Amino acid sequence: MANSELSKLKILFIYDYFRQHVNAFGKDSSVSVNDLIAYLEKELGYVFERKSIYADISKINEYVSRTSVVKGSDSWITVEGRRYRKNQIKDEITIDEARLLVDAISTTTFVDTQLCDKIIKMFPNYFSGNYHKRALFPHDEKISRRSISYLNNIRTGIESKQALNFDYGYILGSELTEKSPKTVSPMALDWDNNCYYLIAVDNAEAKDLERDQTLSAALRRYRLDRMVNVNVDYDGKIPYIDYKSEKLREQELRTFIEKSLSAYSGKRMIVFGLKITGENRKDVLKAYSAFASKVKDSIQIKDDTKLDKGVLEIIVRTVFAPTLYTDLFELSTFSGVEIEIDNDEVCRDYAEYIKKAARAANLKKL
């Protein structure tokens, strides 16, 4: 009788073994019948016959075939020589995807790295040892319980279309100062500069809009770590101000994010030519790479035919934002590199930026 009960458990343990200890993406990931016999003896304290294991594998494959969960095959478990392998299940996360997730979580300064341990436990056959502590340098800063609570409230407001109330201020050391109350209609969460941002319609701004203005004129971006006392208007006493259609909302949000530079939103776009000149090709590319990493997809290569002579010409299409001139100034800090800007307005504003920087450094002349 005991053996009969163990036999019922045996097929579940075999199924679990293939899920947890064999992966469909490694050439060396396989198991022999002797390995399974040893595993079952350790877990159940009984030595099973080989024929019973063959039968169980056949039953597991029959179940898989009936449920049609295997990608491109009727059998989940296959045999090659004397070893068993498994095929990929539909929608199964791959080994590369699992490692990308762990890498991303391990290196961000925002997410608790203990989450890595949970993912590794879910897919032990994808990782060996302390993978996330060896492969990439971990950042162990932990998201506060308060921030998690605020994120949950924000997500609730977005999903249920309910207004939010919170105080928004400025960070001074470890304190939040100059706080002011905000009432908003939350639209989406964004992630930029290693921070969460709430994109929302400012209800007060929306009320003051003229008839010919679109709702997007009241869109604002709020940084999570500058928010406190985030509460959802569960009672529905505050109106949720929304776009006329989901399609329009998606279009306007996409435009709003595209018209952002380093998490700063701009009201209008600017196009200008930029000539980067250096002592050699490598110096120009070094400076260009630093600038391009900030403005992302806003650059078009105008002329790279003179790159071997240390000259690169590009077209920049971006928004007016405070960080634009900071990024341009960084270009000038590279040794032996000079820039020329082909746009009078940008040149004028950039010159004012340089003058302010010079005054801050107590320089009398440029």
Side-chain angles (χ1 to χ4, degrees):
M1 184 70 178
N3 181 30
S4 175
E5 292 299 321
L6 290 178
S7 294
K8 294 177 182 179
L9 286 174
K10 172 166 59 76
I11 191 169
L12 296 176
F13 272 85
I14 292 174
Y15 177 82
D16 185 66
Y17 185 91
F18 277 95
R19 287 296 301 262
Q20 296 293 323
H21 301 286
V22 182
N23 74 69
F25 310 99
K27 294 181 179 179
D28 299 326
S29 185
S30 62
V31 61
S32 68
V33 175
N34 288 336
D35 293 332
L36 291 173
I37 290 173
Y39 167 73
L40 292 169
E41 182 181 7
K42 177 184 176 182
E43 297 295 329
L44 298 176
Y46 187 86
V47 179
F48 291 93
E49 294 182 358
R50 301 172 72 89
K51 289 183 178 180
S52 67
I53 293 176
Y54 298 149
D56 284 343
I57 290 176
S58 178
K59 283 292 183 183
I60 292 172
N61 276 333
E62 182 181 346
Y63 162 76
V64 167
S65 178
R66 287 177 178 271
T67 54
S68 301
V69 297
V70 175
K71 188 174 182 179
S73 175
D74 290 333
S75 297
W76 183 42
I77 303 171
T78 60
V79 61
E80 292 182 12
R82 296 185 177 182
R83 301 192 68 84
Y84 286 92
R85 301 183 183 276
K86 76 175 187 182
N87 290 313
Q88 182 182 355
I89 292 178
K90 292 177 182 177
D91 300 323
E92 179 181 9
I93 190 170
T94 68
I95 186 170
D96 290 333
E97 291 168 340
R99 290 180 175 179
L100 282 173
L101 283 173
V102 168
D103 289 351
I105 294 168
S106 178
T107 54
T108 182
T109 59
F110 196 77
V111 182
D112 188 346
T113 51
Q114 291 180 2
L115 182 56
C116 294
D117 297 322
K118 295 179 180 179
I119 295 176
I120 288 172
K121 286 180 180 179
M122 291 174 63
F123 306 98
N125 53 336
Y126 289 172
F127 303 94
S128 59
N130 294 322
Y131 168 84
H132 66 294
K133 294 180 180 179
R134 290 198 322 268
L136 290 170
F137 187 82
H139 294 262
D140 293 319
E141 293 88 344
K142 295 178 174 60
I143 179 173
S144 68
R145 299 304 305 175
R146 186 183 70 174
S147 294
I148 292 175
S149 174
Y150 291 167
L151 276 173
N152 288 335
N153 286 348
I154 290 170
R155 292 189 180 104
T156 297
I158 293 171
E159 293 171 6
S160 60
K161 293 189 175 183
Q162 292 173 300
L164 297 175
N165 287 314
F166 57 86
D167 294 323
Y168 197 61
Y170 296 88
I171 301 172
L172 180 63
S174 59
E175 300 295 325
L176 195 66
T177 66
E178 297 296 322
K179 293 175 287 189
S180 58
K182 300 289 182 182
T183 298
V184 304
S185 299
M187 297 289 159
L189 278 167
D190 189 24
W191 175 265
D192 200 0
N193 286 342
N194 212 27
C195 290
Y196 271 114
Y197 290 85
L198 166 65
I199 300 174
V201 170
D202 185 307
N203 282 25
E205 293 289 336
K207 289 180 181 179
D208 295 334
L209 290 178
E210 301 293 338
R211 280 190 173 184
D212 59 344
Q213 287 183 292
T214 66
L215 190 58
S216 295
L219 272 183
R220 298 291 184 270
R221 187 191 300 263
Y222 304 95
R223 182 167 153 166
L224 180 65
D225 59 1
R226 291 174 55 189
M227 302 165 64
V228 292
N229 305 321
V230 181
N231 295 300
V232 183
D233 176 42
Y234 289 109
D235 296 331
K237 295 180 179 179
I238 304 171
Y240 182 87
I241 302 173
D242 200 2
Y243 289 89
K244 295 179 180 179
S245 69
E246 292 290 333
K247 184 178 180 180
L248 179 60
R249 185 212 300 214
E250 183 178 343
Q251 290 174 344
E252 294 298 304
L253 285 176
R254 187 177 300 279
T255 300
F256 182 82
I257 291 174
E258 288 175 350
K259 288 186 176 181
S260 299
L261 182 63
S262 299
Y264 285 90
S265 298
K267 298 297 182 183
R268 62 189 180 93
M269 304 296 293
I270 184 71
V271 180
F272 62 93
L274 185 63
K275 183 179 179 181
I276 307 172
T277 304
E279 295 180 359
N280 53 56
R281 177 189 179 98
K282 185 176 181 179
D283 287 347
V284 171
L285 288 175
K286 189 184 298 184
Y288 165 77
S289 296
F291 181 71
S293 67
K294 304 294 179 58
V295 297
K296 298 180 181 177
D297 300 326
S298 304
I299 292 177
Q300 174 188 344
I301 304 298
K302 180 182 178 182
D303 185 3
D304 62 353
T305 59
K306 301 177 183 178
L307 191 53
D308 288 336
K309 295 181 180 180
V311 179
L312 177 64
E313 295 184 41
I314 61 176
I315 300 293
V316 182
R317 185 179 187 276
T318 186
V319 296
F320 267 119
T323 54
L324 172 60
Y325 302 108
T326 305
D327 298 335
L328 285 171
F329 179 75
E330 184 182 0
L331 269 174
S332 303
T333 64
F334 284 85
S335 178
V337 172
E338 295 182 355
I339 64 172
E340 294 179 34
I341 301 171
D342 184 15
N343 182 294
D344 292 342
E345 184 179 8
V346 175
C347 284
R348 184 174 60 252
D349 291 345
Y350 182 54
E352 288 298 319
Y353 175 89
I354 297 298
K355 289 178 182 178
K356 288 181 180 179
R359 287 195 294 270
N362 294 319
L363 297 177
K364 294 182 179 180
K365 294 182 180 180
L366 288 175

